[in-house]
Amino acid sequence: MSDRPDTPDVSQNTREPVQPGASGPSDAPGGSGHGAHGRPPTGADRWAAFKRSPFLPACVLVLILAAAAALFAGSYTYTMANPTPRHIPTAVVGSAGTEEGRAFITGMEKALHASLELRPFATDAQARDAVEVQRIFAIITVRQGSVELDVASAAGASVAQVLAESAARVSGATGVPVEVRDIKRLQPGDPRGLALFYISLAAVIIGFVGAIQLSVHARALQPAERIGFTVAYALLGGFAIAATVDWLLNALDLPFVESWLILALTMFASGMVFTMFNTLIGRWAMLPTWGLMVLLGNPSSGGAVSWPLLPSALGHIGRWLPPGASVNAQHTAVYFGGHQHVFPFAVLAGWALVSSGVFWFWRHRHPGGRSRTPAHAAD
């Protein structure tokens, strides 16, 4: 005889009470109830489901990529397809007030549809020193009955080409004999002066692409580790670029250590710019990074088209962005050794420090990282 009191067997007949708001049998698909699943979805329901689905970001990306394609083509075409001189700093040795000098300078300004920023120098040596420190792009020397035009393709190949072509036309139109000389030539492996632009472009793009890949494939890196690996791929990537261009292809004779460190600093700054934006706005960080570095920074860098031939606003802005600072520092290192400027290094270091500081200060917002909770803590 059992000691327990008799209790009815409810295991088969007792139904658990339905909680308020829970779906009952009548709400199931195909049921006859009038619950939320039994009525046709409204427009608001469809929009809410669409926002939760992967189709919303996919559609946004389609529109963004189409706009990015148009902006990319437009920005490069606007700045590079038809470079036009605005103001070209030019040294004048001798008297520009002579008949030959006035005729040549007036003819050049008409041919260029621009003004030459004439800066008088007492001697040719002083004018050449100004070329070495990149204060001027050309030297006009007025002789008795003739003019000499010295250009420096290493200071700006596109500017030198425009000046030389215009001088030939002006000489024919005015009858003033003009001798054109290139006093600062490009290296034989870089006849158009584009190699430095290409290696700087590689450093910029691989810099932020590397940061993107770290965020995807090494998401669990802690903040200090993320910065450390950004430094590592910047140093190794900069070395690889310099070694390929100099040692493997023999396209440029680089001051190797200086060029390597410029490329590494460029890659690190570019990578940290993406990391900063990834911290601030998450998955859409590619948009401001691409806009700043590629759409605005590269066309205005002065690498493919020298700054005097760019729209004036872009010519000034480009110097303050990582691509322009990288081209500027690299250009001076290769062709004007001994006259390096602090400014481009300060720009690169400023972007690197500010980006790293923003990332570090708001590192808790970065989508990466990993929990520091020991594995046994959950037991």
Side-chain angles (χ1 to χ4, degrees), residues 97-152:
T98 63
E99 182 179 353
E100 292 83 2
R102 287 197 307 268
F104 179 74
I105 291 171
T106 301
M108 286 291 288
E109 291 184 335
K110 287 182 179 179
L112 296 170
H113 303 288
S115 62
L116 299 176
E117 292 183 6
L118 301 178
R119 303 177 185 179
F121 287 84
T123 65
D124 183 68
Q126 292 176 349
R128 290 192 176 223
D129 286 341
V131 172
E132 288 292 331
V133 297
Q134 301 178 73
R135 288 171 48 203
I136 62 172
F137 285 82
I139 303 172
I140 296 175
T141 304
V142 181
R143 306 291 186 190
Q144 185 66 36
S146 66
V147 172
E148 295 174 358
L149 175 65
D150 295 334
V151 297

Side-chain angles (χ1 to χ4, degrees), residues 203-212 226-227 230 233 265-282 284-294 320-323 347-360 366:
V204 167
I205 292 180
I206 299 302
F208 67 74
V209 168
I212 293 171
R226 187 173 300 276
I227 293 175
T230 305
Y233 77 68
L265 182 56
T266 302
M267 291 184 73
F268 177 75
S270 183
M272 291 312 301
V273 164
F274 173 83
T275 304
M276 173 184 68
F277 285 129
N278 198 23
T279 302
L280 296 176
I281 60 176
W284 300 110
M286 184 60 183
L287 295 180
T289 305
W290 180 264
L292 186 69
M293 296 294 187
V294 178
W320 292 89
L321 298 177
V347 171
L348 288 171
W351 279 98
L353 290 173
V354 169
S355 300
S356 300
V358 171
F359 164 61
W360 188 262
H366 192 274

Side-chain angles (χ1 to χ4, degrees), residues 110-375:
K110 287 182 179 179
L112 296 170
H113 303 288
S115 62
L116 299 176
E117 292 183 6
L118 301 178
R119 303 177 185 179
F121 287 84
T123 65
D124 183 68
Q126 292 176 349
R128 290 192 176 223
D129 286 341
V131 172
E132 288 292 331
V133 297
Q134 301 178 73
R135 288 171 48 203
I136 62 172
F137 285 82
I139 303 172
I140 296 175
T141 304
V142 181
R143 306 291 186 190
Q144 185 66 36
S146 66
V147 172
E148 295 174 358
L149 175 65
D150 295 334
V151 297
S153 56
S158 51
V159 174
Q161 180 181 358
V162 168
L163 289 174
E165 292 173 352
S166 299
R169 294 196 302 270
V170 170
S171 177
T174 61
V176 177
V178 177
E179 180 185 359
V180 180
R181 301 177 300 185
D182 191 345
I183 60 173
K184 194 75 174 178
R185 294 183 178 276
L186 292 162
Q187 293 186 13
D190 184 27
R192 296 183 61 83
L194 294 175
L196 296 181
F197 172 66
Y198 293 146
I199 66 174
S200 298
L201 177 65
V204 167
I205 292 180
I206 299 302
F208 67 74
V209 168
I212 293 171
Q213 294 304 304
L214 283 182
S215 69
V216 173
H217 300 291
R219 185 183 181 89
L221 288 174
Q222 296 291 5
E225 297 167 345
R226 187 173 300 276
I227 293 175
F229 275 95
T230 305
V231 171
Y233 77 68
L235 286 170
L236 187 58
F239 180 88
I241 293 173
T244 299
V245 171
D246 191 343
W247 300 344
L248 182 62
L249 300 179
N250 293 316
L252 288 171
D253 182 15
L254 299 175
F256 193 85
V257 174
E258 186 177 3
S259 291
W260 168 25
L261 295 180
I262 292 169
L263 291 168
L265 182 56
T266 302
M267 291 184 73
F268 177 75
S270 183
M272 291 312 301
V273 164
F274 173 83
T275 304
M276 173 184 68
F277 285 129
N278 198 23
T279 302
L280 296 176
I281 60 176
R283 63 180 177 179
W284 300 110
M286 184 60 183
L287 295 180
T289 305
W290 180 264
L292 186 69
M293 296 294 187
V294 178
L295 295 184
L296 182 60
N298 283 325
S300 65
S301 67
V305 175
S306 299
W307 282 316
L309 305 186
L310 292 173
S312 56
L314 288 179
H316 291 293
I317 292 172
R319 294 174 171 87
W320 292 89
L321 298 177
S326 181
V327 169
N328 192 358
Q330 201 71 254
H331 183 257
T332 304
V334 174
Y335 288 111
F336 300 92
H339 298 279
Q340 186 61 270
H341 303 286
V342 175
F343 179 73
F345 292 93
V347 171
L348 288 171
W351 279 98
L353 290 173
V354 169
S355 300
S356 300
V358 171
F359 164 61
W360 188 262
F361 187 78
W362 280 291
R363 59 191 181 275
H364 59 281
R365 297 182 53 179
H366 192 274
R370 60 186 180 273
S371 174
R372 293 184 177 274
T373 305

